[in-house]
């Protein structure tokens, strides 16, 4: 799926217009206090551009999973509006209304350069159902729609896609970055193009593998996924995590990679543990020789070297899924080694996937990567080549 031709906020005239922006303000909260305001900080560039160019800016988002009245209280966007105001150093209005009279009155009174946050769109069940009446009511607050919430771009909801039926629709800077970097790499990668896939399950990544196998020069498999492939090659995997029902599929993938003549790298050695426990005993095995009672939790040193070497001269690296249980220090070495190799290469480096992004940040490599995708599920679906309704709905450049 290629969205390189989508209009952005820079392609339209926003002066004097009311602009409805779908943000990703789905921030973590503890007792009403924002514990990480990264998503708010990241949203500012788009909002600032609109304010600077004379738009009256109406912001909407979802936050958490509000169900009943009690959970709604914990999912209000009021603290987000307050924090945004602090971060931007300007007044940010807030209304507890969404599509009612108060929201309309406040939106109507909003002047150029002013900002209004409306309440959590998921307070209406019509939001996730992409109800056309609800979408129309949201759209009636504004003259232009901007989607900048990449994290929900894989969902066709009223505020992420439905509104675009009623307004001119363009993307903000966050979605634009995903389109140009991730979309650009998938459409026309600088070669050699290396994909590194890891994480917990083959079944989670099948879509990504089948999409990327047609595009890459090298496919690297690490993480727990590697043991299903090892089994497919007749190896002994001990008590490692495997998906027995995916062994045939793993064989098919191995055959396809061979037929295509792409480089397909699997681990040469494995750091195994005698329990799924951060303090378990550790033993190193050659791939395919893991004894019973031991489970592979990270790639071994020879594999680190093999994978690092494959990355060294890459033009583009797409990475999804840690090489081992990187949440635990003793099983993070493989993930660190690969991150370091990417950081030291000149490749365009793109990280997709929630746990992968978290691992890269925690291990301190975030600023060394070209792009860390901001949406977990959305970036996976992008890598799978699936349509993202929140981007597909936006207007194309003339
Ligand atoms: P992402 O969210 O980036 O798509 P995944 O959710 O697929 O990544 O995978 C991340 C999870 O995979 C982590 O919780 C990690 O502990 C787990 N994992 C990686 N390697 C192994 C392994 N060898 N055994 C068990 N779990 C693993
Ligand atoms: Mg995950």
């Amino acid at each position: 799926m290629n969205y390189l031709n989508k209009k952005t906020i820079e392609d339209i005239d926003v002066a004097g217009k009311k602009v409805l922006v779908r943000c990703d303000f789905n921030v973590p909260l503890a007792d009403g206090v924002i514990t990480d305001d990264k998503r708010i900080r990241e949203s500012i560039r788009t909002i600032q551009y609109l304010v600077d160019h004379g738009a009256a800016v109406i912001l909407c988002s979802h936050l958490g999973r509000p169900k009943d009245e009690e959970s709604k209280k914990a999912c209000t966007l009021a603290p987000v509006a307050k924090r945004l105001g602090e971060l931007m150093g300007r007044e940010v209005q807030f209304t507890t209304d969404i599509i009612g009279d108060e929201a309309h009155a406040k939106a109507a009174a909003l002047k150029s350069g002013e900002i209004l946050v409306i309440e959590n769109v998921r307070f209406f069940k019509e939001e996730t159902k992409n109800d056309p009446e609800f979408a129309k009511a949201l759209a009636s607050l504004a003259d232009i729609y901007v989607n900048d919430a990449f994290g929900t771009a894989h969902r066709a909801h009223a505020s992420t896609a439905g509104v675009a039926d009623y307004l001119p629709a363009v993307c903000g800077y966050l979605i634009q970055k995903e389109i140009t970097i991730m979309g650009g790499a998938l459409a026309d990668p600088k070669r050699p193009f290396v994909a590194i896939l890891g994480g917990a399950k083959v079944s989670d990544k099948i879509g990504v593998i089948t999409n990327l196998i047609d595009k890459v020069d090298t496919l690297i498999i690490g993480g727990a996924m590697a043991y299903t492939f090892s089994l497919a090659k007749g190896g002994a995997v001990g008590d490692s995590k495997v998906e027995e029902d995916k062994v045939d599929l793993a064989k098919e993938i191995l055959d396809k990679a061979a037929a295509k003549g792409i480089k397909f790298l699997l681990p040469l050695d494995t750091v195994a543990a005698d329990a799924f426990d951060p303090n378990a005993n550790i033993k190193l095995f050659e791939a395919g020789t893991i004894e019973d009672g031991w489970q592979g939790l990270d790639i071994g040193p020879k594999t680190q070297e093999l994978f690092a070497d494959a990355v060294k001269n890459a033009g583009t690296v797409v990475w999804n899924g840690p090489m081992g249980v990187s949440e635990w220090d003793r099983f993070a070495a493989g993930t660190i080694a690969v991150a370091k190799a990417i950081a030291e290469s000149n490749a365009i480096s793109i990280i997709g996937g929630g746990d992968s992004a978290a691992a890269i940040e925690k291990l301190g490599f975030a600023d060394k990567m070209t792009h860390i995708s901001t949406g977990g599920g959305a970036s996976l679906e992008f890598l799978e080549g699936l349509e993202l309704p929140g981007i597909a709905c936006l207007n194309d450049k003339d």
Side-chain angles (χ1 to χ4, degrees):
M1 211 49 62
N2 182 339
Y3 298 121
L4 295 166
N5 202 37
K6 290 298 176 188
K7 271 191 186 167
T8 80
I9 45 175
E10 293 185 8
D11 295 320
I12 51 162
D13 183 12
V14 298
K17 303 271 172 55
K18 309 245 190 260
V19 180
L20 176 69
V21 188
R22 175 47 157 104
C23 298
D24 181 0
F25 287 151
N26 186 28
V27 293
L29 285 165
D31 298 324
V33 178
I34 297 166
T35 53
D36 182 356
D37 63 7
K38 186 166 178 274
R39 286 183 171 155
I40 305 176
R41 283 185 278 112
E42 287 177 337
S43 72
I44 290 178
R45 196 171 157 224
T46 293
I47 300 168
Q48 190 70 51
Y49 175 92
L50 294 170
V51 162
D52 290 347
H53 288 77
V57 183
I58 303 155
L59 306 176
C60 69
S61 176
H62 81 282
L63 172 58
R65 292 205 161 85
K67 280 180 224 89
D68 47 22
E69 289 310 311
E70 203 46 46
S71 61
K72 279 185 182 175
K73 274 185 208 143
C75 295
T76 173
L77 283 171
V80 171
K82 185 163 174 279
R83 178 67 58 89
L84 180 65
E86 289 161 7
L87 289 168
M88 292 187 75
R90 61 194 306 144
E91 193 197 344
V92 171
Q93 302 175 39
F94 174 71
T95 170
T96 55
D97 193 14
I98 300 167
I99 51 165
D101 291 345
E102 183 177 313
H104 274 93
K106 286 205 158 162
L110 207 64
K111 297 194 194 69
S112 282
E114 292 183 341
I115 302 170
L116 169 69
V117 176
I118 62 172
E119 187 54 287
N120 191 339
V121 283
R122 286 202 193 160
F123 282 12
F124 279 85
K125 62 180 185 328
E126 288 82 355
E127 160 66 4
T128 51
K129 290 184 179 152
N130 195 8
D131 176 80
E133 287 307 314
F134 180 69
K136 198 172 171 184
L138 265 181
S140 70
L141 294 169
D143 308 308
I144 293 170
Y145 168 66
V146 174
N147 191 5
D148 212 19
F150 183 71
T152 47
H154 58 316
R155 306 270 183 242
H157 293 169
S159 74
T160 64
V163 279
D165 287 344
Y166 306 97
L167 292 173
V170 303
C171 65
Y173 287 119
L174 290 176
I175 286 194
Q176 184 190 9
K177 192 173 176 222
E178 300 283 351
I179 292 174
T180 49
I181 302 184
M182 182 119 91
L186 295 174
D188 184 20
K190 191 165 169 244
R191 295 189 180 273
F193 182 11
V194 180
I196 308 172
L197 302 176
K201 289 182 181 164
V202 178
S203 48
D204 285 349
K205 302 295 162 74
I206 276 307
V208 179
I209 296 175
T210 43
N211 186 37
L212 292 184
I213 208 166
D214 289 327
K215 303 181 191 295
V216 298
D217 303 295
T218 303
L219 190 58
I220 297 177
I221 304 275
M225 250 200 322
Y227 307 113
T228 301
F229 282 91
S230 180
L231 207 56
K233 291 175 71 176
V237 295
D239 297 346
S240 304
K241 229 182 207 171
V242 287
E243 290 165 277
E244 304 271 359
D245 60 335
K246 292 291 176 290
V247 172
D248 286 340
L249 189 63
K251 278 186 194 148
E252 279 171 36
I253 293 168
L254 287 166
D255 290 345
K256 186 162 184 200
K260 284 189 156 289
I262 67 168
K263 226 194 225 177
F264 192 94
L265 302 180
L266 286 166
L268 301 173
D269 53 358
T270 288
V271 176
D274 61 358
F276 190 73
D277 185 300
N279 301 311
N281 293 307
I282 285 180
K283 193 169 167 183
L284 190 67
F285 291 96
E286 298 292 308
T289 69
I290 304 174
E291 292 163 12
D292 287 346
W294 295 88
Q295 52 186 295
L297 295 186
D298 195 9
I299 56 173
K302 273 196 255 176
T303 310
Q304 289 180 19
E305 228 182 285
L306 175 75
F307 289 2
D309 208 51
V311 160
K312 210 185 284 165
N313 297 313
T316 307
V317 178
V318 167
W319 183 6
N320 168 257
M323 295 294 98
V325 184
S326 57
E327 301 93 318
W328 296 342
D329 293 348
R330 293 167 75 227
F331 304 100
T335 302
I336 293 173
V338 170
K340 198 159 165 281
I342 298 175
E344 286 167 1
S345 79
N346 292 318
I348 296 165
S349 49
I350 300 163
I351 314 299
D355 291 295
S356 312
I360 297 291
E361 302 220 352
K362 190 186 132 208
L363 300 173
F365 290 96
D367 59 347
K368 300 281 194 332
M369 304 297 158
T370 309
H371 179 56
I372 299 181
S373 180
T374 51
S379 59
L380 273 190
E381 294 199 14
F382 208 176
L383 291 176
E384 287 176 47
L386 299 175
E387 175 174 289
L388 300 176
I391 303 181
C393 71
L394 305 175
N395 305 147
D396 286 312
K397 289 186 193 188
D398 306 319

